[in-house]
């Protein structure tokens, strides 16, 4: 198996998991958060979320 196949399997599983979730979340979902978020970095004036997909998002506060 190549490295590419190892990366595709978790992304496919994540895609299926997300599609099973309700379209609108009004409450914190710990299971969904743990499946999607790799790391949260807390800085003085913003948060940085690192998702397992490789995407980063900054949230100013």
């Amino acid at each position: 198996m190549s490295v590419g196949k190892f990366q595709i399997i978790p992304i496919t599983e994540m895609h299926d998991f997300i599609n099973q979730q309700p379209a609108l979340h009004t409450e914190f979902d710990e299971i969904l958060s743990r499946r999607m978020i790799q790391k949260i970095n807390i800085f003085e004036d913003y948060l940085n979320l690192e998702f397992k997909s490789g995407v980063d998002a900054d949230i100013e506060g």
Side-chain angles (χ1 to χ4, degrees):
M1 246 185 206
S2 70
V3 174
K5 289 182 182 178
F6 286 117
Q7 293 172 347
I8 291 172
I9 293 170
I11 291 172
T12 302
E13 290 175 4
M14 180 63 68
H15 182 267
D16 294 342
F17 177 77
I18 291 170
N19 283 338
Q20 294 171 1
Q21 302 303 309
L24 179 63
H25 286 275
T26 58
E27 297 179 4
F28 177 75
D29 187 333
E30 184 173 351
I31 294 170
L32 181 61
S33 298
R34 290 185 181 274
R35 298 248 351 224
M36 295 185 70
I37 298 174
Q38 177 73 33
K39 184 176 174 183
I40 301 173
N41 297 305
I42 302 172
F43 298 95
E44 187 174 322
D45 54 349
Y46 71 97
L47 299 175
N48 173 264
L49 301 175
E50 294 180 21
F51 292 91
K52 292 181 180 181
S53 66
V55 174
D56 282 73
D58 291 337
I59 301 172
E60 295 182 17

